[in-house]
Amino acid sequence: MAEDIADDRAGEGVRPAVAADVPAVRALTDAAYRPYIARIGVVPQPMEADHAADVAAGRVFVTGKPVAGLVVVEARGDHLFLDSLAVHPDAQGQGVGRRLLAFVDAHARALGRNEIRLYTNAMMWENRRIYPKYGYEVVERRADGPYDRVHYRKRLDSDRPA
């Protein structure tokens, strides 16, 4: 599968997920988040999401053939909420996450939102190193039930392309 992801991913754009993608969305989310269960001591929330409902609502966007990465986003009052970003372990380090983050910026702008918000578990230190490199700043850290979350935001310069 690693060869398929590496070969078929090149040049692929990001597209809205469709019902036929739900099994791939579920499998990719599980593959990307499963390694964190032992570290954080709880199942990461994206693994428990209703993927079919998210896809039907137009919240899921995927990239690659087969699907190598995805984002789950939701337009909220004054911002775009980035609920989940997942890259298949076989495709990590190949620019998939960077492409998805660029898509999120462009999508927010297209929806007229000048800010993106997200949170990540405090124990997912890889994410805590990556997001600031893409313009995200820490807003706060707080416990939400069993989750210790670091909340981020990115303000988009409205006169600059994604």
Side-chain angles (χ1 to χ4, degrees):
M1 180 173 185
E3 297 82 18
D4 293 338
I5 288 174
D7 292 343
D8 292 344
R9 205 181 73 291
E12 286 293 320
V14 178
R15 64 173 175 79
V18 297
D21 293 317
V22 171
V25 167
R26 182 176 293 111
L28 189 151
T29 300
D30 286 351
Y33 284 96
R34 185 164 307 287
Y36 292 113
I37 295 173
R39 186 188 307 172
I40 66 176
V42 64
V43 174
Q45 203 166 19
M47 292 178 71
E48 297 179 332
D50 184 339
H51 302 295
D54 285 341
V55 168
R59 297 181 62 222
V60 182
F61 296 84
V62 297
T63 188
K65 289 183 184 178
V67 175
L70 65 88
V71 290
V72 181
V73 295
E74 180 181 352
R76 296 188 176 169
D78 63 346
H79 67 279
L80 183 67
F81 180 67
L82 174 52
D83 190 28
S84 178
L85 186 152
V87 175
H88 193 281
D90 291 341
Q92 290 177 359
Q94 299 175 28
V96 176
R98 178 176 55 247
R99 183 174 0 157
L100 290 167
L101 286 172
F103 166 80
V104 170
D105 287 1
H107 190 60
R109 286 188 179 96
L111 295 174
R113 303 307 194 279
N114 293 327
E115 184 171 293
I116 302 164
R117 297 181 191 170
L118 65 87
Y119 53 73
T120 191
N121 192 286
M123 296 296 289
M124 294 180 179
W125 50 77
E126 301 88 345
N127 296 346
R128 294 179 64 191
R129 283 193 301 264
I130 290 170
Y131 288 124
K133 292 178 182 179
Y134 291 94
Y136 289 84
E137 62 182 346
V138 174
V139 174
E140 67 177 323
R141 180 174 175 174
R142 72 171 184 255
D144 294 318
Y147 303 101
D148 180 8
R149 294 180 169 151
V150 179
H151 293 251
Y152 291 85
R153 76 172 169 211
K154 178 178 184 177
R155 294 187 179 166
L156 300 173
D157 184 358
S158 60
D159 61 349
R160 183 176 66 134

